[in-house]
Amino acid sequence: MKNKASLQLSCPIPASEYDSIQLAHGGGGRLTAQLIDRMFLAALGNEFLEQAHDGAFLTMDTADLAFTTDSFVVDPLFFPGGDIGDLAINGTVNDLACCGAIPRYLSLAFILEEGLPMEKLWQVVLSIKKAAEKAGVKIVTGDTKVVEKGKGDGIFINTSGIGECIKGTRIAPERCRPGDLVLINGSIAEHGMAILSQREGLGFSPAIKSDTASLSAMLNDLLHQISSVNVLRDPTRGGLASALNEICGSSQTGIELLEDKITVSEAVRGACEILGLDPLYVANEGKVLIILPEEDAEKALKILRSHPEGAQSAIIGRVTDEHPGIVRLRTLVDSTRIVDMLTGEQLPRIC
Amino acid sequence: MKNKASLQLSCPIPASEYDSIQLAHGGGGRLTAQLIDRMFLAALGNEFLEQAHDGAFLTMDTADLAFTTDSFVVDPLFFPGGDIGDLAINGTVNDLACCGAIPRYLSLAFILEEGLPMEKLWQVVLSIKKAAEKAGVKIVTGDTKVVEKGKGDGIFINTSGIGECIKGTRIAPERCRPGDLVLINGSIAEHGMAILSQREGLGFSPAIKSDTASLSAMLNDLLHQISSVNVLRDPTRGGLASALNEICGSSQTGIELLEDKITVSEAVRGACEILGLDPLYVANEGKVLIILPEEDAEKALKILRSHPEGAQSAIIGRVTDEHPGIVRLRTLVDSTRIVDMLTGEQLPRIC
């Protein structure tokens, strides 16, 4: 086992040995063991992974846990602002944080396509390492499968995660109440447009960057200071519109959004206009919707803004009992329109 | 939400509506919600899944947990004795059981290929339901992604699982000690040969059936009655040979296997001979290696044999300090040969 000090940035399996993934790397024999030892353990090794068991033994500090899973099939694997590796860590970390939990332990399972360049896999592993360290989570158990060329698409990743629930918090979509305010920690639609412009070879200048980020530290801080938070939700696939529609559906409340409070960067707005997309439906990966009583909203804003991920936080709407189950947008010209759930597929394989 | 009583065996999304999976079923919008509600919640729904949150809230009975993950890419999806659905449940359940834990909660994440017949997915979901009920685990959180036709292969499944460690047990490969005996709960190589004969269209008669099964009840019983069990390991990919080599490597002990004690069914032996495969390297899915002190071996055999999954249990070898790190087989003609780890890929996509 290599120790951390000896971790190299160059791929630990040189091209002269194997320049790409072979079926045998998923066979459970010697090549699987080599891949695990030289690449995964070298980069991600810790006392849990080194148990080299069918699973990890964990001792938790509380009996109240959050548990979540996500598979990542993003295309392309690398995009402005991130790659499938940090996306897979941040996505699961944020799902746990949105349960009101402190993310602790992650599993990491790869489905690799035969012929995947070894160097690409190594870049993703390094990105995973960096994102996990930043988010304060440990990868404690893993799995590697390989499928024949043409039966996969480079790299698919599943991460599942366990978090410890923060005492006193009760986060659930159905706890959304009339009078509550809706906050978001910054501008929307960046992840989806970064993927799309990379995929379609659209050279927007400046390049639109994904907002992928761990929200754990910011939300942890928020929940420790404000116990009245009712709903946390990361508006990923389906965007802001779909997330808010789900919340309205669960809680049988309505939400009124204020268009002039929702920030969309100029580059994203321009790209959306060219492609005929509504930014309300475009995926985010570093954003969270926070719904809480009005009296705590200003304090919450202050806390959110003290974190880099929340510097642009704003109040963007209000919960109402007037149109239960429905999200309405008050537009810039002071008319209103209904913001429905996403129908059909806007952007496939965005995460 | 449908309640259990109304669960139909026919596909809840009729062919007249959608006869196959569309990209939009993974888009996070209305079609994703429909798939979850009408298919996954209808079959698998419980108080955890119905929280409809980014993750599940769990309250554990102990702070000592086991956590594991596995992706399943088996080809074909349906094979004699099982399918990818029960395989995905039993595989993760058995990994937890082999940690000396009682499996409790599973996550379930699908990567579906566009064009997958809806009816096939429903058959797999029903199989998951049945296997989870049999193993006594709950599916508490999930995810669904869809990739374009030709970028996946029907259905890939990831299951991750949380189990509660049984008090007083200390299971680890490095705890294997000279003098310990090696037990297995039945005949070997059935899963691998079932997959291979189905895949290659080899019509062995009688058909070779996969041994996929949950070992949780049997191992739970064993560990509650015998606290001296040192190692549990399910010999899946790479077969008996690879699993024992890993154990010898971790513990720096040797293992002597007795060929005449290892059961291989006549059908499996015949198929292996025709195909030039060594059954010691062929995958199992319902078998477990149990290593424990000699004085408890007979008691263990009795317990194992009292369970249907262990009716054919036998002592197949002994741990020794004579050839550390090496597995040796005493053959039927009383010579010995070294049983090395699997090199190269014997059977791809076996699980």
Side-chain angles (χ1 to χ4, degrees):
Chain A
M1 162 86 22
K2 292 188 181 182
N3 67 35
K4 280 189 178 180
S6 73
L7 180 69
Q8 309 153 22
L9 287 179
S10 61
C11 183
I13 299 175
S16 58
E17 214 173 316
Y18 287 101
D19 66 350
S20 67
I21 288 290
Q22 314 291 307
L23 280 175
H25 283 115
R30 199 174 292 280
L31 277 195
T32 304
Q34 274 183 14
L35 189 68
I36 293 172
D37 276 354
R38 293 169 62 182
M39 198 176 272
F40 304 145
L41 284 179
L44 308 171
N46 56 45
E47 66 273 30
F48 300 97
L49 276 181
E50 284 159 22
Q51 292 165 355
H53 211 286
D54 279 330
F57 293 104
L58 309 175
T59 302
M60 308 304 297
D61 287 337
T62 164
D64 293 315
L65 305 181
F67 181 35
T68 188
T69 191
D70 243 325
S71 292
F72 295 84
V73 299
V74 65
D75 170 35
L77 297 175
F78 299 88
F79 45 82
D83 59 46
I84 193 172
D86 47 24
L87 200 65
I89 299 300
N90 292 336
T92 290
V93 160
N94 290 347
D95 280 349
L96 291 172
C98 285
C99 289
I102 304 174
R104 292 282 187 225
Y105 302 114
L106 261 54
S107 64
L108 175 65
F110 288 105
I111 299 175
L112 306 175
E113 186 188 9
E114 181 190 16
L116 172 77
M118 203 60 92
E119 180 61 38
K120 266 197 190 178
L121 178 58
W122 180 240
Q123 289 310 315
V124 168
V125 170
L126 287 180
S127 170
I128 286 172
K129 173 190 170 64
K130 204 170 146 190
E133 282 172 1
K134 201 164 173 199
V137 291
K138 283 188 172 163
I139 290 154
V140 296
T141 188
D143 180 53
T144 309
K145 296 290 191 308
V146 179
V147 296
E148 303 90 335
K149 207 169 169 58
K151 300 289 187 181
D153 196 14
I155 305 180
F156 298 152
I157 298 179
N158 178 282
T159 49
S160 301
I162 300 178
E164 294 178 335
C165 292
I166 297 171
K167 247 195 168 149
T169 61
R170 285 167 60 205
I171 311 290
E174 65 272 19
R175 289 177 49 81
C176 181
R177 282 169 201 179
D180 281 0
L181 295 187
V182 181
L183 283 64
I184 194 166
N185 61 316
S187 54
I188 64 166
E190 284 158 11
H191 177 72
M193 294 317 293
I195 297 292
L196 195 65
S197 45
Q198 175 80 357
R199 190 151 70 202
E200 307 296 333
L202 305 174
F204 296 115
S205 174
I208 299 169
K209 276 193 181 174
S210 167
D211 61 338
T212 180
S214 158
L215 303 174
S216 172
M218 179 180 79
L219 291 178
N220 189 354
D221 192 10
L222 179 74
L223 293 176
H224 274 103
Q225 294 193 55
I226 300 183
S227 63
S228 65
V229 175
N230 284 322
V231 185
L232 294 173
R233 178 61 63 102
D234 51 342
T236 53
R237 283 184 293 178
L240 193 65
S242 298
L244 288 176
N245 268 282
E246 277 174 31
I247 293 167
C248 285
S250 307
S251 59
Q252 280 307 302
T253 60
I255 287 178
E256 185 164 272
L257 285 178
L258 302 169
E259 189 171 25
D260 64 333
K261 302 295 183 194
I262 301 171
T263 311
V264 185
S265 78
E266 230 171 292
V268 168
R269 188 178 299 282
C272 282
E273 272 169 17
I274 290 167
L275 296 165
L277 295 171
D278 182 342
L280 290 175
Y281 292 92
V282 176
N284 309 277
E285 285 290 337
K287 294 298 171 310
V288 57
L289 292 160
I290 299 140
I291 301 182
L292 81 175
E294 181 166 9
E295 60 266 29
D296 292 320
E298 283 302 326
K299 185 177 171 194
L301 265 187
K302 205 179 263 183
I303 297 166
L304 296 172
R305 286 177 178 161
S306 73
H307 290 265
E309 299 78 19
Q312 307 299 321
S313 295
I315 297 167
I316 59 166
R318 175 184 292 277
V319 182
T320 168
D321 52 9
E322 277 174 30
H323 37 79
I326 287 172
V327 181
R328 275 205 323 205
L329 182 75
R330 182 160 298 276
T331 67
L332 298 176
V333 294
D334 207 30
S335 69
T336 63
R337 67 174 171 96
I338 289 177
V339 176
D340 205 353
M341 206 166 178
L342 174 64
T343 319
E345 173 74 4
Q346 199 178 34
L347 299 169
R349 297 185 58 188
I350 215 68
C351 63
Chain B
M1 162 84 23
K2 289 188 182 183
N3 67 34
K4 281 187 179 185
S6 73
L7 180 68
Q8 310 153 23
L9 288 178
S10 61
C11 183
I13 299 176
S16 58
E17 213 171 318
Y18 288 101
D19 65 351
S20 68
I21 288 290
Q22 315 292 308
L23 279 175
H25 283 115
R30 199 174 292 282
L31 277 194
T32 304
Q34 273 183 14
L35 189 68
I36 293 172
D37 276 354
R38 292 170 62 183
M39 199 176 272
F40 303 147
L41 283 179
L44 308 171
N46 56 44
E47 66 273 30
F48 300 97
L49 277 181
E50 285 160 22
Q51 292 165 355
H53 211 286
D54 279 330
F57 293 105
L58 310 174
T59 302
M60 308 305 295
D61 286 336
T62 165
D64 293 315
L65 306 181
F67 181 34
T68 189
T69 191
D70 243 326
S71 291
F72 296 83
V73 298
V74 66
D75 170 35
L77 297 175
F78 299 87
F79 46 82
D83 59 49
I84 192 171
D86 46 26
L87 199 65
I89 299 301
N90 292 336
T92 290
V93 159
N94 291 347
D95 280 349
L96 291 172
C98 285
C99 289
I102 303 174
R104 291 282 187 224
Y105 302 114
L106 261 54
S107 64
L108 174 66
F110 288 104
I111 299 176
L112 306 175
E113 186 189 9
E114 181 189 16
L116 172 77
M118 203 59 92
E119 180 61 39
K120 268 198 189 178
L121 178 59
W122 180 239
Q123 289 310 315
V124 168
V125 170
L126 287 180
S127 171
I128 285 171
K129 172 189 169 66
K130 206 171 144 190
E133 283 171 0
K134 202 165 172 199
V137 292
K138 283 188 170 163
I139 290 154
V140 297
T141 188
D143 180 53
T144 309
K145 295 290 190 309
V146 179
V147 296
E148 303 89 334
K149 205 166 172 60
K151 300 289 186 180
D153 197 14
I155 305 179
F156 298 153
I157 297 179
N158 178 281
T159 48
S160 300
I162 300 178
E164 293 176 337
C165 293
I166 298 171
K167 247 194 169 149
T169 60
R170 284 169 58 206
I171 311 290
E174 64 272 19
R175 289 178 49 82
C176 180
R177 284 170 199 176
D180 282 1
L181 295 187
V182 181
L183 283 65
I184 194 166
N185 61 314
S187 54
I188 64 165
E190 283 158 11
H191 176 72
M193 294 317 293
I195 297 292
L196 196 64
S197 45
Q198 175 80 359
R199 191 150 69 202
E200 306 297 333
L202 305 173
F204 296 113
S205 174
I208 299 170
K209 276 193 182 175
S210 166
D211 61 339
T212 180
S214 159
L215 303 174
S216 171
M218 180 181 76
L219 291 179
N220 189 354
D221 191 11
L222 179 75
L223 293 176
H224 274 103
Q225 294 193 56
I226 301 183
S227 62
S228 66
V229 175
N230 283 323
V231 185
L232 294 172
R233 179 60 64 104
D234 51 342
T236 54
R237 284 183 292 178
L240 193 64
S242 298
L244 288 175
N245 268 283
E246 278 175 29
I247 294 167
C248 285
S250 307
S251 59
Q252 281 305 302
T253 59
I255 287 178
E256 184 164 272
L257 285 178
L258 304 168
E259 189 170 25
D260 65 333
K261 301 295 184 197
I262 300 172
T263 310
V264 184
S265 78
E266 231 171 292
V268 168
R269 189 178 300 280
C272 282
E273 273 168 18
I274 291 168
L275 296 164
L277 295 171
D278 182 342
L280 290 175
Y281 292 92
V282 176
N284 309 278
E285 286 290 337
K287 293 300 172 308
V288 58
L289 291 159
I290 300 141
I291 302 182
L292 80 176
E294 182 165 9
E295 60 266 29
D296 292 321
E298 282 303 326
K299 186 177 172 193
L301 265 187
K302 204 179 266 184
I303 297 166
L304 295 172
R305 286 177 178 161
S306 73
H307 290 265
E309 300 78 20
Q312 307 298 320
S313 295
I315 297 167
I316 60 165
R318 176 183 293 276
V319 182
T320 168
D321 52 9
E322 277 174 32
H323 37 79
I326 287 173
V327 181
R328 274 204 325 205
L329 183 75
R330 181 159 300 276
T331 67
L332 297 176
V333 295
D334 207 29
S335 69
T336 63
R337 67 173 172 97
I338 288 177
V339 176
D340 205 353
M341 206 168 178
L342 174 65
T343 320
E345 173 74 4
Q346 199 178 34
L347 298 170
R349 296 185 59 189
I350 215 69
C351 62

